[in-house]
């Protein structure tokens, strides 16, 4: 059974650019969540999607957005990148009543 | 607001010694509590959920609602237990937001 797949693994972007990250959940999992991991702030919740609807949102600026497609795949977009957006972005998928399975993450570096 | 506190950033023990990683939480309702582990160069993995009350790799954790704690314990630590451990809280129901503690880096020395 394939795990949660995130692409790309690494990204280098310039300040002011925008970026799109992709996440394919485990087959059958309809909930997809996104987290930002940094050395200073640790793991912080960005948002969660279920059946193409955003159900929960963390305390991040509007530059951070996401969406979920009918096949449960999800994308996360960050516009007008800032240096502080450099982080590991993790995606997790879940089946109702069970725990969350995380992907390996996308390492974003903003220069 | 929900908050998870892991008071120890670093914990070092010798092989065979007992280990306890502390986790305290703040939440007004009845949350779900989890322990996640991240081994070197590996993805974050679910170790335990409080509602399943199971033991994984010799680790156990008991939810103490009175003390709002969910400490992780193992009677005899092994070198392969060396990893970063995160305690996490979810409000439960349809709220899938996980709030993580800052993590405890466990080192088991030979």
């Amino acid at each position: 059974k394939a795990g949660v797949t995130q692409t790309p693994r690494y990204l280098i972007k310039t300040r002011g650019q925008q970026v799109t990250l992709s996440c394919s959940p485990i087959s059958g999992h309809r909930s997809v969540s996104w987290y930002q991991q940094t050395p200073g702030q640790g793991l912080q919740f960005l948002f969660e999607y279920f059946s193409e609807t955003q159900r929960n949102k963390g305390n991040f600026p509007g530059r951070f957005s996401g969406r979920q497609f009918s096949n449960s795949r999800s994308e996360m977009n960050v516009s007008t990148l800032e240096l502080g957006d450099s982080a590991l972005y993790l995606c997790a998928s879940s089946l109702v009543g069970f725990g969350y399975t995380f992907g390996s993450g996308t390492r974003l570096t903003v220069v | 607001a929900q908050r998870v506190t892991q008071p120890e950033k670093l914990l070092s023990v010798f092989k065979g010694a007992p280990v306890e990683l502390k986790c305290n939480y703040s939440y007004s309702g009845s949350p779900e509590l989890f322990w996640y582990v991240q081994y070197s160069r590996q993805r974050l993995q679910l170790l335990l959920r409080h509602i399943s009350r199971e033991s994984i790799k010799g680790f156990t954790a008991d939810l103490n609602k009175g003390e709002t704690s969910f400490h992780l314990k193992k009677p005899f630590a092994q070198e392969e237990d060396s990893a970063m451990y995160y305690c996490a809280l979810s409000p439960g129901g349809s709220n899938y937001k996980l709030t993580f503690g800052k993590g405890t880096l466990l080192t088991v020395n030979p």
Side-chain angles (χ1 to χ4, degrees):
Chain A
K1 185 173 176 180
V4 178
T5 304
Q6 291 187 245
T7 56
R9 291 295 306 275
Y10 302 93
L11 268 178
I12 299 176
K13 290 287 188 178
T14 304
R15 272 182 303 175
Q17 286 187 312
Q18 74 166 20
V19 66
T20 299
L21 313 182
S22 180
C23 172
S24 294
I26 292 173
S27 178
H29 287 197
R30 294 167 65 188
S31 170
V32 175
S33 302
W34 289 88
Y35 292 82
Q36 182 194 65
Q37 186 175 27
T38 59
Q41 299 300 317
L43 284 149
Q44 295 186 89
F45 173 79
L46 280 154
F47 27 66
E48 184 249 344
Y49 287 87
F50 184 86
S51 293
E52 303 178 65
T53 300
Q54 186 183 89
R55 292 199 301 187
N56 298 286
K57 190 176 188 302
N59 297 322
F60 278 82
R63 300 185 297 107
F64 291 81
S65 63
R67 59 178 175 169
Q68 186 180 34
F69 301 95
S70 58
N71 62 358
S72 293
R73 190 177 70 85
S74 178
E75 287 182 348
M76 188 192 116
N77 184 276
V78 188
S79 62
T80 320
L81 283 165
E82 301 176 359
L83 295 179
D85 297 333
S86 295
L88 181 66
Y89 290 89
L90 295 172
C91 170
S93 74
S94 178
L95 192 61
V96 175
F98 293 85
Y100 308 78
T101 303
F102 282 81
S104 297
T106 294
R107 172 78 60 187
L108 172 65
T109 302
V110 183
V111 297
Chain B
Q2 53 204 66
R3 183 179 300 158
V4 176
T5 304
Q6 294 180 250
E8 303 132 332
K9 291 182 70 173
L10 303 169
L11 185 61
S12 182
V13 301
F14 286 102
K15 177 183 173 181
V19 63
E20 181 180 47
L21 291 91
K22 292 185 168 53
C23 171
N24 291 93
Y25 67 91
S26 173
Y27 185 68
S28 56
S30 296
E32 289 191 52
L33 275 296
F34 305 83
W35 275 100
Y36 279 84
V37 60
Q38 191 166 33
Y39 300 102
S40 180
R41 299 183 182 278
Q42 294 188 27
R43 64 182 66 188
L44 206 56
Q45 303 173 37
L46 177 64
L47 183 62
L48 283 177
R49 309 173 64 194
H50 89 272
I51 60 173
S52 60
R53 299 186 64 80
E54 57 191 338
S55 173
I56 305 291
K57 299 185 180 183
F59 284 97
T60 59
D62 289 317
L63 179 61
N64 186 322
K65 293 186 178 180
E67 296 182 359
T68 58
S69 67
F70 188 56
H71 303 328
L72 184 68
K73 300 177 184 179
K74 185 169 183 177
F76 307 103
Q78 303 299 314
E79 290 180 66
E80 56 266 29
D81 296 329
S82 295
M84 192 72 165
Y85 291 81
Y86 294 95
C87 182
L89 175 156
S90 168
S94 63
N95 190 332
Y96 279 48
K97 173 184 176 180
L98 274 175
T99 297
F100 284 88
K102 292 293 178 74
T104 298
L105 180 61
L106 174 66
T107 303
V108 181
N109 301 296

